[in-house]
Structure formats: structure tokens, C-alpha cells
Amino acid sequence: MNIDYSKRNFGLDVLRATASLFVLFGHTLWIGDNYPNFLETIFRITPTIGVEIFFVLSGFLIGMLVLKEIEKPSFSFKNIKKFLIRRWFRTLPNYYLVLSINILVWYVIFNKIPEKLYQYFFFIQNVSERTNSYFYRISWTLSVEQFSYLLGPLLLYFLILIAPAKKRSQLFLWVTLLIILIFNLSRLYFYLNETLTDLEDWNETIRKVLIYRLDAIYYGFLLYYLYKKYKNQIAKYSLGLFWVGLSLLLFLYIFRGFFGLTIETVQGFMILLFLPINSIGLCLLFPQLLKLKTTSNSIRKTITTLSIISYPVYLLHYTVILQCLKVIFPSESLVGFQLWAYTFLYWGITFLLSYLLYRFFEKPATNLRDNPRIKRFLKID
């Protein structure tokens, strides 16, 4: 794999690799219930953290691209079109390929077509309610991503049409704060009108539902705006911000229970505050991590490779690879050496197939967006 390290930020690669590993490790629990207790505890919290890292990281990077586009003097709808098409070349081919594989796997295992299958093709499977299906479970995050690509850029485009003289970066900030406010209010509406029974109910009814989650991406937008505008000041305090952010995350995931902050005792905290604090805590980690460097070529190569294949890992690991493995080799009763052999086999297959998917499908598909014929056909020159 030929990698131009000069064009990559090692800290962002660390974040992306960590997020994919956290999600993979968390879903490893589906293999069975016989892991050591301390590992089981860690595995239970890592997928949530991993997904939220992906959201903030995606928002940071997409926010950077969007702000650059709208600040161009020649900005028009063509810029929005170009941005969306380039994102879709990056995300949709993999998604639809793995969706097709999931459909085939589901049919072979259960001898039926998944319910409401059409929703997965349009990313509307979790717009206002849980998916109610174990089919392609991780796809809910892709819905959040795809709708975030549309919402902010289109709002900015219309605002620029209405107020062309306004400073573009200021409009970017206003739209970002407006979206964060709206989706925090959506959770407030839920809190005033609904009741949750337990953490699983919160997880499926709040955390994985689109109308309560789009703000997760826009904390990344806000982070990029602040980082760009106050880079020197933020860099000065980056280490302190890192420790504050880490403390917030430790409180949410490790120590929250000691204070009795659970769904059963304080629904308001879990519905209204947990997710925003989580996003803010992650944002506070970024300035220090963006400064990360390494002199070890082997570490850099490993981290960068894991970062590059993170999207295939995310798409393949759960409802394709692990589901097939469990059908072929049931794992619930495994203990000791057999359990760990199965675990490492699962991880190894995931990394291998993810690399192959990236190398022979994702990368060629993404490269098509720079093909002159494609650009002319789509009018995105």
C-alpha cells in the first residue's frame, strides 16, 4: 500500500484507528459471555465511544471542507454539488456493496428478505424510531452521516443566497449552533413526552435515532471553526483541555454509576446531557491529539493502515463477518483458549477482508471522482 505520509495527520489517524478498534472490540461480545469480567466491562462501553469519535471526527473533517467551499469568492450551488458527489463517491459504493452482502447473508441464514428493506437504500431506517431489526445494525450511523452532509451545506447555501454580504465564516458558526440547538431541543421534547425503561431502551430509542442525533456531527463543525479561528490560543492549552475531556469521558463511562446517574434514577441527565457532554469531551481531546507525532515507521504504518481501512472494518465486522462465523461455528459455549482462538480468528478475518475491500473496491471507486470523464459527465470540474 503506497501511502503519502506527508499528507496525513498522525493524530487524526490515531483517532480514526481507535474508533474502529473500539467498535470492533465492543461487538466482539456477541461471540459469547465467557470473557473475563474486566474485559467484558471494557467491551461494553467501547462501541459507544468509538461511534461518537467517528461522529466528531467526521464533523471536524467535513466542517473543514464545507468552510473552505463557502469561503470561495465564486461559491455557488456547484460547490455544494461537488462536495456531495465527492463524499458520495467516498461513502456510498462501500455502503451499497456491504448492504447487498448483508441481504444475501440474511436470506441464506433466515430464508427471508429483511423487513422494510427499501429504507436502508435511502438511509431512512432510523429517522424517527429504532430500526427494530438486527439486520445491518451499524447502518444507523451512516444515516446520521448522510443527512448531516445535506443539512448544514444546504442551509448555508440558502443563507448565503439571502445574505450574500454576510461573512461566510460567521454564517457557518450560526448554522452550526442552530443545528446543535435544534437537535438538543428534539431530545428535550422526547424527555417531556416519553419515558425510558432502561439503558438498552435509551440506546435504541435515543442514541440510534436520527432526529435526536444529527447534532453529534456538528460538534465537530464547531470544533473546526474554533480550532481554525483560535488555533494558537487553543494549542497553548491543548494538554489541559485533553485532561478535562478525558475526565468528562471517564465520568460518563466509568464513574457515572457511582453518583447514581442512571436511566432509572435521572432520565433527564441521560436524555438531555449525556450525549452533548460526550461530544464536548471528545472535542476537548482533539487539539492535543492533532499535535501527535511518532518517529517509529512501524507504528506510523500500523496506525495509518488501520485508519485507512477503518470504514471497511466498520461496515463488515458485525452483521457480515461475525454473523457468518457464528452460523458456521457457534461460539456461545466457548471458554478459555477456544474463546480466544475464535476471537483472534474473527479479528484477523475482519482486518484481512477490510484491507481487500479497501484495496480492490473502495480505493478504485473513490478514485473515480477524479476521473476526467466522470467529472465532465457530472459537471463538477
Side-chain angles (χ1 to χ4, degrees), residues 52-64:
E52 300 305 317
I53 292 173
F54 273 130
F55 282 157
V56 174
L57 178 58
S58 178
F60 183 83
L61 296 173
I62 297 305
M64 176 177 62

Side-chain angles (χ1 to χ4, degrees), residues 117-163:
L117 182 59
Y118 72 94
Q119 295 183 347
Y120 292 85
F121 286 91
F122 298 100
F123 298 97
I124 58 173
Q125 65 270 32
N126 61 308
V127 169
S128 60
E129 59 184 13
R130 70 182 80 186
T131 60
N132 287 319
S133 171
Y134 285 97
F135 171 75
Y136 210 1
R137 289 281 284 174
I138 56 89
S139 67
W140 70 270
T141 63
L142 280 302
S143 300
V144 175
E145 292 268 357
Q146 293 300 324
F147 277 92
S148 72
Y149 297 161
L150 293 169
L151 181 60
L154 290 177
L155 276 176
L156 281 164
Y157 171 70
F158 288 118
L159 275 179
I160 291 170
L161 284 182
I162 295 168

